[in-house]
Structure formats: C-alpha cells, structure tokens
Amino acid sequence: MIVLGLESSAHTFGAGVVKNGRVLANEKSMYRIGSGGMIPAKVARFHAENARFVIEKALESSGLGFVDIEGIGYTKGPGLGPCLQVAQLYAKTMARRLKVGIAPVNHCVAHIEITRHTEGLRDPVMLYVSGGNSQILKLVETPYLHYRVIGETLDIGVGNMLDAFARKMGLDPAWGSSVERCADKGRYIKLPYNVKGMDFSFTGLLTKASGLIEHKESNDLCFSLQETSFSMLCEATERALMLTKSREIGLCGGVAQNKRLADMLRAVAEEHNARFGCAPNEFNADNGAMIAYVAEKMLASGFSIGPEGCDVKQRYRSNEARVFR
Ligand code: FE2
C-alpha cells in the first residue's frame, strides 16, 4: 500500500511517503524559532504557505504521482491546535479528491513505532523524550494493543527544560542542541535530582541552574544540566526495564538526537545485556514518514475514517492510541 503521511504538530511541516513499510520519501520545512518562541498562529501560517511545496517535493522524491496515493495519514495530536489543523485540512482535501481512506495518527506513537521498525525492536521499554513530552512506555494488550505510560515527567518535558535554559543563557533556542554543544568541556556542579519511582521532574533543576547563570561557567552549567537530567531519565528507564523484564530499550523523540543521552542509555542497556535502539535523526526530528508508516498499518488493518470524521486533539496522550501490528 502507498501512503502519504502529513505532520504539522509543532514547528515542522513534514510529508513522507511509505510503500509496504518502506520509506520512499521524507521531506520537511521547519519554522525558524526566534527569541520570541513559537506563536501558534504564526507557525500555522508558515505551514499553510509551505505545505503544498513539501508534499510535491515528497511525491517527486518518491518517484510517484498524486494519483498513486492509496491512503493518507495525518497527525491528530498532541500538538499546537492551529498547527495541527494544517495537516488535517490537507489530509481531508486530498483524500476527498483521491477517494482514499484517512488515518489519524498519534505523534508520540509514530516516533516509537518508526524506531521499533528501523531498529528491529520487538517489545522494548521505550524512552520518548521531546520538547513537550518525556515518557517511559511499554506495549500492553488490554484489551487492544496500545502503549502504557509506566513513567513520565511530573511537570515539563526535558526538551522544553533544555530549551528554556538555553534561552535564559542567551544561547540559540535550537531545542537543546545549543546546550549540547556548550556542554562539551564542562565540569560537574551538583544540581537537584528528582526521580520518584519511574516518574521524574525537571522544574526544580531548571530553577536552580537558571539561578546560577550569573555565578558559574556556562560550559559547567550546560554539562551539569545534561548529566543530571539524563541520569534521571536513565535511572527511571533502568527501573522500568527491571520491572517489566524486557530485554530491549528504545530511545526516540527530538531529544533522542542528543548523543550524550543515547550513549548513557546504551550503557544502561549493556549493563543489563539488553538490546539498545535509537532511530536515525531524521525520524527523531518531527517528520511525515513516521506518520505514513503508522497510517499504513492502520489502513491495512481496516482502521480508516472519512474526511467528515477528521479531528485534531491537542492533548492526545500516547496511551489513548490503538497500535496495529
Ligand atoms: Fe516529535
């Protein structure tokens, strides 16, 4: 089956094409975030202006035409309302023209499922880390297949914490990658460490580190912020691994592009003789291919809606979405 996937939950408009589980194209355009942060209406306008070009580019790279598309997936949520509307509107309009089925996809589940696919993970404990989300998940079948959240942030996502700190430091607000660069040659400063079972929280850490900006070296602060927050994530994931007796750990989401976090979690997996998998960066960044991948599975299983059934859900939790084999 040939499926087009559209993603517009935050700063990226992505269009991907998948055929029988194989990614044929994965194109995107990304809104440049200035110091003012993301204003949803502005980002949505950017997506609306770029959507057509990105979709055409995806079709061109896949070597297929508009009429070859046999199904369409779009991100239903979670995300920013006005931004989500753009992919939904394109999915509806195109499905009407092509007379094909539509699959509404959960963005978090798409990151997890594409990682399971590219890394060949069967039943892993997944650490999903992005701007707005930080969760530890595992597949359960009660009564239908879905992800159960077995640990999560009690306040903000680790990505938003790193980004907020980068802004306070006057660094480039580039989703934590500026903190990663700055952390290169730092020394450790003790910062608040908050793990409660398999849950964790980041606001205390952010407040303390922000209060030290005037008094400590920026490299030391960035290094310590990463080491502390990533250790919290690794400790909770390790506990989840032992509790579930899984033999695999997966890492996905925007913050999974951070090499230090991947190295730390890989070390946890090795300690327990568990397999570790983290997808290539193009799938950890927001993208349309992961939406197409999940949509194809949904459509092939008969889970399809018409244009009139399309909606968006800003707070669409990962455990609410059904998973298809
Ligand atoms: Fe994402």
Side-chain angles (χ1 to χ4, degrees):
M1 193 174 192
I2 298 166
V3 175
L4 172 73
L6 304 177
E7 153 65 31
S8 67
S9 62
H11 50 61
T12 300
F13 186 91
V17 180
V18 162
K19 181 181 181 182
N20 302 333
R22 206 160 61 86
V23 175
L24 300 183
N26 198 12
E27 301 291 343
K28 65 172 81 172
S29 77
M30 203 172 135
Y31 178 83
R32 292 232 159 264
I33 301 155
S35 51
M38 278 207 290
I39 298 161
K42 260 191 170 180
V43 187
R45 198 178 317 132
F46 171 85
H47 290 337
E49 284 165 5
N50 287 279
R52 194 182 161 155
F53 170 72
V54 178
I55 293 167
E56 283 174 359
K57 212 165 142 199
L59 287 172
E60 195 186 313
S61 343
S62 68
L64 297 166
F66 181 68
V67 291
D68 297 320
I69 301 299
E70 297 170 294
I72 298 180
Y74 73 96
T75 304
K76 172 174 169 166
L80 303 167
C83 298
L84 288 167
Q85 297 281 358
V86 180
Q88 186 225 197
L89 196 65
Y90 266 86
K92 273 203 285 203
T93 312
M94 291 178 74
R96 257 197 196 109
R97 290 259 310 268
L98 288 164
K99 296 189 173 44
V100 297
I102 308 171
V105 177
N106 180 292
H107 179 95
C108 321
V109 167
H111 272 301
I112 298 171
E113 286 295 280
I114 196 81
T115 303
R116 234 163 38 90
H117 175 61
T118 62
E119 303 311 297
L121 300 173
R122 280 172 49 85
D123 191 16
V125 164
M126 289 294 313
L127 175 62
Y128 168 56
V129 275
S130 68
N133 289 285
S134 296
Q135 294 178 327
I136 299 168
L137 310 102
K138 175 95 168 39
L139 269 176
V140 289
E141 200 154 10
T142 52
Y144 56 83
L145 200 62
H146 70 281
Y147 280 96
R148 174 175 286 164
V149 178
I150 49 181
E152 67 182 316
T153 179
L154 298 170
D155 39 49
I156 55 173
V158 67
N160 280 357
M161 186 275 290
L162 294 170
D163 192 42
F165 184 76
R167 268 179 221 194
K168 284 182 186 178
M169 287 266 300
L171 301 172
D172 178 19
W175 307 105
S177 61
S178 45
V179 174
E180 185 178 9
R181 276 194 303 276
C182 195
D184 215 18
K185 294 185 188 78
R187 284 172 308 165
Y188 187 71
I189 301 166
K190 200 166 186 288
L191 293 172
Y193 184 96
N194 272 315
V195 177
K196 291 169 183 154
M198 278 171 289
D199 294 331
F200 28 84
S201 81
F202 296 113
T203 45
L205 173 61
L206 175 62
T207 306
K208 178 70 183 177
S210 304
L212 293 172
I213 287 175
E214 302 287 304
H215 313 286
K216 301 280 184 188
E217 284 284 327
S218 55
N219 286 13
D220 294 349
L221 280 174
C222 289
F223 174 76
S224 308
L225 194 68
Q226 279 200 169
E227 293 300 300
T228 309
S229 58
F230 295 171
S231 298
M232 284 157 56
L233 292 167
C234 286
E235 182 192 326
T237 309
E238 184 175 24
R239 193 164 291 135
L241 183 78
M242 293 169 82
L243 179 86
T244 60
K245 299 188 171 55
S246 171
R247 307 303 310 143
E248 299 170 327
I249 296 180
L251 173 65
C252 67
V255 186
Q257 295 171 85
N258 186 302
K259 202 177 165 303
R260 177 64 182 148
L261 175 59
D263 287 347
M264 285 169 80
L265 202 60
R266 186 181 294 108
V268 170
E270 279 168 7
E271 195 130 311
H272 292 272
N273 288 321
R275 275 195 67 210
F276 174 76
C278 180
N281 278 349
E282 73 167 306
F283 300 119
N284 284 321
D286 288 351
N287 67 94
M290 66 178 189
I291 304 300
Y293 174 74
V294 173
E296 190 194 6
K297 282 191 180 183
M298 293 168 79
L299 295 165
S301 306
F303 190 92
S304 167
I305 57 169
E308 61 293 332
C310 287
D311 59 348
V312 300
K313 193 171 179 184
Q314 292 192 72
R315 291 174 187 272
Y316 186 18
R317 275 179 67 81
S318 36
N319 55 323
E320 292 173 53
R322 192 167 168 177
V323 173
F324 295 85
R325 288 187 202 278

